[in-house]
Amino acid sequence: SPNVNLASRLEAATKQYGVRILVSEQVASVMSRACQDLLRKVDRVTVKGSARPITLYTLDIAEDATNVRLAKELDPQLRTGEEREAEDAARRWVRQVQVAEGDDAAEEIRDEETEHATDEAVAEITKEERMFRRVAEIFQLRRTVTPEFLHVWDGALDLYTKGKWKEAYSEFEMAQFLLPDDGPTRTLMGYIKRRDCEAPEGWTGVRELTSK
């Protein structure tokens, strides 16, 4: 299918851009605003078999010891102890609420129906708690770029898109100075340099990804 084909080409293109992940504008459009804010626009391209331009984004993730640890903690199997404590705390809170809302606040709640309701409430609370924790950790993973770099990068990409390649190349050089190992910077600098820093006639800000 076209979607599978596109996914395959974007996965292969991660090597061209030197990034872990590439996200198409279609996927980015259905993300929450908070997730969209974590993405960096890296190019606008066409892929083999389609003339429709696609904007590409990446998520900048540092490959350091801290991120390795945080990524491992996204695995719920590694956090059973903490989550068990969270479940116990949630259960105590639910019981307190149920007792306070009962006819006799001193009566201990033991009947099966209430126990089932308690289990459901605890499950919902702990689900939300886990989700919040996962999202917080995913947000922590973005540690390779700085606001200064993003400001320079956005300016360079804008010049590149408008066809002002000499100016764009200078800005990309500054971005490379700020973040020497950035793959998208290296890729677009190479693309511009191979064409003598001159945008082709009729340039629309879109280039073709020439390999799968």
Side-chain angles (χ1 to χ4, degrees):
S1 73
N3 290 335
V4 173
N5 185 51
L6 176 60
S8 174
R9 295 188 184 282
L10 292 189
E11 181 181 7
T14 58
K15 298 180 179 66
Q16 295 184 39
Y17 289 93
V19 295
R20 286 285 188 176
I21 186 172
L22 285 172
V23 177
S24 69
E25 61 188 50
Q26 293 92 333
V27 173
S29 68
V30 298
M31 291 180 171
S32 68
R33 179 58 186 272
C35 288
Q36 290 176 356
D37 288 344
L38 292 178
L39 300 177
R40 172 165 57 118
K41 181 179 176 180
V42 296
D43 211 349
R44 188 159 172 79
V45 303
T46 59
V47 298
K48 186 177 181 180
S50 174
R52 183 168 59 86
I54 301 170
T55 301
L56 301 181
Y57 301 85
T58 191
L59 174 63
D60 300 294
I61 301 175
E63 296 183 38
D64 54 25
T66 299
N67 275 355
V68 170
R69 176 179 59 79
L70 289 171
K72 285 182 178 179
E73 289 177 357
L74 296 178
D75 182 353
Q77 297 302 316
L78 300 178
R79 310 206 52 178
T80 54
E82 289 184 19
E83 291 178 352
R84 185 160 50 248
E85 291 179 5
E87 283 192 14
D88 290 342
R91 186 177 296 279
R92 287 193 298 272
W93 181 82
V94 171
R95 284 186 178 278
Q96 289 172 2
V97 171
Q98 289 173 331
V99 170
E101 292 179 349
D103 294 333
D104 186 353
E107 181 180 354
E108 186 175 358
I109 303 172
R110 295 184 182 279
D111 63 273
E112 184 176 344
E113 182 178 349
T114 302
E115 285 290 347
H116 180 67
T118 301
D119 290 340
E120 288 186 343
V122 170
E124 186 62 28
I125 290 173
T126 53
K127 176 183 176 182
E128 293 296 325
E129 188 272 339
R130 284 195 298 269
M131 183 178 299
F132 176 82
R133 179 182 295 163
R134 301 291 187 269
V135 170
E137 288 169 351
I138 291 170
F139 273 53
Q140 290 179 50
L141 292 179
R142 188 173 190 253
R143 285 293 182 271
T144 58
V145 296
T146 64
E148 181 182 9
F149 170 83
L150 290 176
H151 177 73
V152 174
W153 167 266
D154 288 343
L157 190 65
D158 183 60
L159 290 168
Y160 159 78
T161 302
K162 292 177 178 177
K164 300 178 180 180
W165 283 13
K166 287 186 173 66
E167 296 94 327
Y169 192 86
S170 295
E171 290 298 303
F172 280 129
E173 284 185 315
M174 177 57 69
Q176 191 173 56
F177 173 77
L178 295 172
L179 194 62
D181 296 328
D182 185 59
T185 301
R186 185 168 54 248
T187 296
L188 292 188
M189 286 181 70
Y191 182 74
I192 291 172
K193 189 173 183 178
R194 287 192 298 274
R195 288 155 182 80
D196 298 321
C197 295
E198 291 289 341
E201 186 176 352
W203 171 253
T204 61
V206 180
R207 73 187 188 99
E208 182 183 1
L209 285 181
T210 55
S211 65
K212 182 174 178 179

